[in-house]
Amino acid sequence: MAQPDSLYLKEKKVYTGPQWIQKQNATIDISQVSFTNWNAGGTNSISALLGYKYDADYKDKFFFWKNSARVGYGLNKQEDRALRKTDDIFELTSNLGYQPTDASKWFYSARFNFKTQLSDGFKASDIENENPISTLLAPGYLFFGGGMEYGKNIDELSLYLSPVTLKATFVLDQDLANTGAFGVDPAVLDSNGVIIEEGANTRQELGILITNSYDITLAKNIKAKNVLSLYTDYINNFGNIDIDWRLNFDFKVNNFVKATLESHLRYDDDVKILEPSATEEGVFDEAGARVQWKQFLGVGFAFDF
């Protein structure tokens, strides 16, 4: 007797028709340190990091569609300094895949990603928070492209190859755009330093994108996730690779208490570092791109719903 169209056997898993799976996760990490007559010295401080992630995934016999929204925001207050953020991310991701045959491990895939931050960011040396170096949509990054994705167990291991991916950089703060921040064209000045043409607010690139993600359970309550993204532009400095690499370890104490260790490394040739001029006070010289690295270790609470 023939099986109904909505039921078939695949690698010992029974397919029961199209389905949506939605998940939400909220996290809170708090740390505090205070000193009273402590002869070794120290600065009183308190830090908090809030995170929220929403996933909505669709899957049927040949298609999958993964969507996620992620928000993270952290603050630190030291007694002698202004309130300063320690983390700030707003990210939207959508990934559509089509499996041409039941036995194929390759998917035709299209991907969309957009990310920015929510509030002003400042250099560590800017104690009074007077000169922002980033803000909402300055920068903002958009990736959109298509290619092929490999994944025998695609929820755990994925390799995505896109020969055509658009990368758009937004710098909607005009003061930052005029300086040429994040790779946009800077303002044109006359001989007296007066702006005669405002800096560009967008920069477009077209290139190759390769991403790899891998989820692994190291022990009963320890999970690790590796996400690596490599991008190079066809037109501007082809072969000069932008790198975005995140490595996360989640340690589960119980259903609510968890610990997180995160490493985030970036390199983008369009993001130049400014250093104080050796000859002119108050003037900054462009020192080229640098490897950026952020590390986080926190203990807090997690809620799945």
Side-chain angles (χ1 to χ4, degrees):
M1 181 177 176
Q3 294 275 357
D5 291 340
S6 62
L7 297 173
Y8 71 99
L9 192 64
K10 178 186 176 183
E11 296 182 353
K12 298 181 181 180
K13 295 182 180 179
V14 176
Y15 172 73
T16 57
Q19 58 179 323
W20 278 96
I21 298 177
Q22 300 181 59
K23 295 185 294 182
Q24 299 182 72
N25 175 263
T27 59
I28 303 173
D29 294 282
I30 298 175
S31 63
Q32 183 265 342
V33 60
S34 64
F35 302 89
T36 302
N37 301 322
W38 191 255
N39 65 1
T43 301
N44 297 341
S45 68
I46 185 169
S47 298
L49 179 64
L50 306 178
Y52 173 78
K53 186 178 181 183
Y54 174 75
D55 295 306
D57 299 339
Y58 170 83
K59 189 174 183 180
D60 64 22
K61 186 174 182 180
F62 294 113
F63 286 91
F64 71 82
W65 187 20
K66 298 181 178 181
N67 304 277
S68 71
R70 182 168 70 99
V71 181
Y73 200 83
L75 290 170
N76 173 265
K77 181 65 175 74
Q78 297 183 18
E79 58 181 338
D80 298 326
R81 300 182 62 131
L83 189 68
R84 183 67 60 92
K85 70 178 182 180
T86 57
D87 192 29
D88 187 1
I89 181 70
F90 175 80
E91 183 174 20
L92 300 173
T93 302
S94 185
N95 182 16
L96 177 64
Y98 168 69
Q99 186 180 29
T101 66
D102 187 23
S104 176
K105 302 300 185 293
W106 284 92
F107 296 78
Y108 295 105
S109 187
R111 287 196 173 189
F112 167 87
N113 176 265
F114 173 78
K115 55 188 171 184
T116 185
Q117 61 281 310
L118 300 174
S119 65
D120 293 349
F122 303 87
K123 287 186 175 181
S125 58
D126 187 358
I127 298 177
E128 299 300 327
N129 292 353
E130 295 178 339
N131 301 299
I133 59 172
S134 66
T135 188
L136 177 65
L137 290 175
Y141 295 103
L142 183 148
F143 289 86
F144 179 71
M148 297 290 292
E149 184 171 6
Y150 173 82
K152 182 178 180 180
N153 297 307
I154 204 163
D155 292 330
E156 299 175 0
L157 174 64
S158 167
L159 176 64
Y160 172 71
L161 308 170
S162 171
V164 181
T165 291
L166 168 70
K167 176 185 177 183
T169 303
F170 303 92
V171 183
L172 301 190
D173 182 284
Q174 197 58 56
D175 290 337
L176 291 173
N178 288 341
T179 67
F182 308 105
V184 299
D185 293 333
V188 178
L189 310 178
D190 64 15
S191 58
N192 296 317
V194 177
I195 295 175
I196 58 177
E197 183 180 340
E198 298 277 12
N201 296 115
T202 60
R203 173 186 171 92
Q204 293 83 35
E205 299 174 73
L206 187 66
I208 300 170
L209 177 65
I210 301 173
T211 66
N212 169 248
S213 64
Y214 183 43
D215 288 20
I216 184 173
T217 300
L218 300 176
K220 181 180 179 181
N221 292 326
I222 304 176
K223 293 184 178 181
K225 182 170 185 176
N226 176 79
V227 180
L228 175 64
S229 174
L230 307 173
Y231 182 82
T232 185
D233 179 34
Y234 285 119
I235 301 173
N236 301 301
N237 297 323
F238 179 74
N240 195 344
I241 300 174
D242 295 340
I243 301 170
D244 193 306
W245 179 30
R246 293 201 310 263
L247 180 61
N248 289 61
F249 295 90
D250 289 327
F251 306 88
K252 183 178 180 181
V253 179
N254 55 40
N255 289 336
F256 299 103
V257 181
K258 57 88 182 179
T260 301
L261 174 62
E262 175 182 315
S263 171
H264 192 175
L265 184 147
R266 285 192 216 167
Y267 177 81
D268 187 337
D269 190 59
D270 298 323
V271 180
K272 310 298 184 183
I273 301 299
L274 297 178
E275 295 183 347
S277 173
T279 58
E280 297 182 66
E281 186 177 352
V283 176
F284 291 84
D285 296 329
E286 186 178 290
R290 295 287 189 273
V291 173
Q292 306 168 55
W293 184 56
K294 181 179 72 173
Q295 179 267 330
F296 170 77
L297 174 62
V299 178
F301 303 93
F303 308 92
D304 294 315
F305 50 96

